[in-house]
Amino acid sequence: QASDALTTATSIVIIGFQLNPADALARYLLATTLLRNYLHPMITVVAPDADTDHWPKFFDDIGTHFRRDRRRFEDWVFQAHP
């Protein structure tokens, strides 16, 4: 079900997940579904500690762009989303 949802999504928001190299299954699922998604969804990563995550390299490796939102989860939830 996750694969189907990601393959047809027009917007994806990832909150507080660093995508460590050990998260191989999550990397595989996300990479394969994004490569099959012809809608080219807007991807937002909500994470204040951008220096500790692996998102830029991951998206660069699969040729996909993303938008960084450096707010904390609580701030993102309680403030209007762009």
Side-chain angles (χ1 to χ4, degrees), residues 2 7 13 16 25 30 33 38 40 45-46 48 62-63 73-74 78 81:
T7 301
V13 178
L25 184 56
L30 192 56
T33 55
Y38 66 92
H40 304 287
V45 174
V46 179
I62 64 170
F73 169 74
E74 296 85 359
F78 293 115
H81 313 309

Side-chain angles (χ1 to χ4, degrees), residues 11-22:
S11 177
I12 299 171
V13 178
I14 301 164
I15 301 173
F17 187 63
Q18 293 181 347
L19 196 68
N20 291 316

Side-chain angles (χ1 to χ4, degrees), residues 3 6-8 12 27-41 43 58-65:
S3 178
L6 290 168
T7 301
T8 59
I12 299 171
R27 286 173 170 271
Y28 176 79
L29 173 69
L30 192 56
T32 57
T33 55
L34 288 175
L35 291 171
R36 289 191 328 238
N37 187 329
Y38 66 92
L39 300 171
H40 304 287
I43 303 168
F58 172 79
F59 286 120
D60 188 50
D61 287 349
I62 64 170
T64 303
H65 299 285

